[in-house]
Amino acid sequence: MIVRAARAVELAELSLLCLRSKAVWGYDPEFIAACRAELTVAPDDLPTTLVAERRGHPVGVVQVTTEGTTATLKKLFVEPHEVGTGIGAMLFAKALKMACAAGAVELIIAADPAAAGFFSRMGARSAGEAPSGCIPGLNLPRFVLNL
């Protein structure tokens, strides 16, 4: 397993990985379609996105952006057949390093409700709710981790 920078040639593949990973929680096709834009890995995302690769194939993706001293976890997705293998925790650790290297002192996470337990186990504390970026009126669990 290696973790490396995302590549422009794989943007479509990474975007599909994010959609497959989101769908693992049992969302219907309409919900997934509504999330497509938010889950797309775009060319502008390349500087802030890492990929976990196994045997030459992406199996996870993480994206962290930083503004001032606050970092935001934009994406953390793992191939469904790889969930529970430690890839998510490894990518989360890389996200923390990215945030610290950019000068952040806290990481903000708007989590899928089904992933809230994961972020709690990673040390993030519950901090209310955040509006969904893809479903108007839907609020997501919000977490904060002091770095």
Side-chain angles (χ1 to χ4, degrees):
M1 175 80 59
I2 63 166
V3 177
R4 58 166 174 77
R7 300 175 185 140
V9 68
E10 64 191 354
L11 291 174
E13 182 179 7
L14 296 177
S15 298
L16 289 173
L17 184 157
C18 292
L19 291 167
R20 283 191 301 275
S21 182
K22 184 74 166 178
V24 79
W25 303 118
Y27 294 114
D28 62 42
E30 292 79 21
F31 185 97
I32 298 300
C35 295
R36 183 175 299 278
E38 186 175 46
L39 300 184
T40 295
V41 183
D44 290 347
D45 298 332
L46 287 172
T48 59
T49 304
L50 297 177
V51 173
E53 179 184 294
R54 185 186 310 240
R55 294 183 208 86
H57 300 286
V59 292
V61 62
V62 66
Q63 180 190 13
V64 177
T65 61
T66 306
E67 188 172 315
T69 59
T70 301
T72 302
L73 185 70
K74 295 291 198 173
K75 293 176 181 69
L76 177 56
F77 294 100
V78 176
E79 281 288 5
H81 68 277
E82 297 282 358
V83 171
T85 64
I87 293 170
M90 179 181 62
L91 286 174
F92 190 75
K94 294 289 186 180
L96 298 180
K97 288 182 181 178
M98 290 169 65
C100 288
V105 297
E106 70 178 354
L107 177 68
I108 305 297
I109 305 157
D112 186 287
F118 170 81
F119 292 113
S120 290
R121 288 189 302 279
M122 295 295 107
R125 64 178 161 70
S126 180
E129 296 182 330
S132 168
C134 56
I135 308 292
L138 177 66
N139 287 320
L140 302 173
R142 182 178 184 271
F143 289 87
V144 175
L145 182 67
N146 294 328
L147 303 172

